[in-house]
Amino acid sequence: MSTNKARRVIDKIRGRSYEETLMVLELMPYQTCYPLFKLVYSAAANAIHNMGLNESSLIISKVEVNKGTTVKKLKPRAQGPSYPIKRPTCHITILLKDISVNEEYYKRSKYAILCLKNPGWLKKNKYTDMTRYNICGIGGLWGKK
């Protein structure tokens, strides 16, 4: 799929909870939703299996779409010539974050969690931020590509 088509859908799911993301991807009428649905489901399954986390406390913290290679083919046309077909590809990176770790910290602080749809405004604590423990190399804790 092209990066523009994937970004159109990705902008809708960034910052949402895992369960809400699955519902949104199921109901959207785009062809790119099904591969993204499988990718989010697989990333959450890895987080649950490898780290023992609860799926209700996962949110989509970071999603990136980068351009991949272009697959080039030739299609034969009438009377001998060929027509080039260019099929774009993309690399999608999804990073899930566990908010149950941050809830204990923010219960004691003077600020309440008002909205989890945009978690970027929350303060980063170096002891409770799950993205600091990078066990898979590039792409974060549960990065899928």
Side-chain angles (χ1 to χ4, degrees), residues 13 15-26 37 40 60:
I13 66 170
R16 294 183 186 257
S17 68
Y18 166 68
E19 295 163 346
E20 189 178 358
T21 300
L22 293 183
M23 285 190 287
V24 167
L25 289 175
E26 241 180 295
F37 179 86
V40 170
I60 311 294

Side-chain angles (χ1 to χ4, degrees), residues 21-22 25-26 32-42:
T21 300
L22 293 183
L25 289 175
E26 241 180 295
T32 59
C33 290
Y34 184 66
L36 289 174
F37 179 86
K38 292 195 321 184
L39 189 67
V40 170
Y41 188 80
S42 175

